[in-house]
Amino acid sequence: MKTIGVFFYQGAGHLHVQALQKLGYLSLKIFANTDFSALDGVILPGGESSVQYDYCINNNLDKKIKEFALSKKPILGTCAGAILLSKYKSSQVNGLGLIDINIQRNYYGRQINSKIERTDSDNKAFMIRAPSITECGKKVKILDTLNDNPIFVKQDNIYCTIFHPELLTFDSKNPIKQIFK
């Protein structure tokens, strides 16, 4: 059984752990002192990207994530996690640059605007204060879109969703199941 590490400092880590359990995976909560060597994958969940970024930088977790990316094992960033993996830059957050995408924070509205959308490929996407992927590099593969805008992308072993797959049904169509197969 595969073990997926879930960043647990801030955000929806607990919901990812529950989703992983329902999908048949083991999980390990990731904090600064976590040993990544036994992990088969990593998830950076939604939450507040600036808080998550500060924790990663102040505790050298950014270096561990970058090192893990070199293993070619899958990493999934959902919502705020996608911001952390991207090349996004602001006064509060500098993405780790592990995937060649740019992002606009809170594009899909405030928390009150959260809703389930039907993607262009007729999948469900739960949008919670979601960012938008505004630019994809040549090596980025778009896996799903909403109104022709990318919402699920990958580059090599790095995956990003701007929606929350941990809140969807737990079957083979769930992106988590597709990524960590």
Side-chain angles (χ1 to χ4, degrees), residues 149-161:
N149 296 312
I151 61 169
F152 181 19
V153 296
K154 98 175 254 216
Q155 180 179 333
D156 301 321
N157 58 316
I158 309 298
Y159 295 79
C160 291
T161 65

Side-chain angles (χ1 to χ4, degrees), residues 59-80:
N59 293 283
N60 292 316
L61 194 55
D62 59 322
K63 291 176 179 64
K64 284 186 175 185
I65 294 167
K66 287 179 178 180
E67 251 179 59
F68 186 82
L70 295 174
S71 74
K72 299 299 178 191
K73 294 177 184 175
I75 299 176
L76 167 62
T78 65
C79 201

Side-chain angles (χ1 to χ4, degrees), residues 1-29:
M1 189 176 290
K2 291 186 177 183
T3 301
I4 310 302
V6 179
F7 179 56
F8 223 79
Y9 174 69
Q10 188 275 339
H14 66 290
L15 295 173
H16 280 82
V17 167
Q18 291 172 1
L20 287 165
Q21 194 172 38
K22 290 177 182 176
L23 290 165
Y25 298 102
L26 298 174
S27 62
L28 178 69
K29 297 175 183 177

Side-chain angles (χ1 to χ4, degrees), residues 87-134:
K87 60 182 189 177
Y88 175 84
K89 295 207 180 308
S90 75
S91 61
Q92 297 175 318
V93 178
N94 287 321
L96 301 177
L98 294 175
I99 185 168
D100 191 11
I101 60 173
N102 260 323
I103 286 190
Q104 179 181 339
R105 291 174 69 188
N106 302 326
Y107 177 84
Y108 287 95
R110 299 165 38 124
Q111 194 86 15
I112 198 164
N113 303 114
S114 301
K115 60 184 170 183
I116 295 177
E117 297 274 7
R118 278 275 174 206
T119 71
D120 295 337
S121 64
D122 202 35
N123 290 314
K124 289 182 182 177
F126 203 112
M127 310 293 273
I128 301 175
R129 220 176 62 176
S132 171
I133 297 171
T134 58

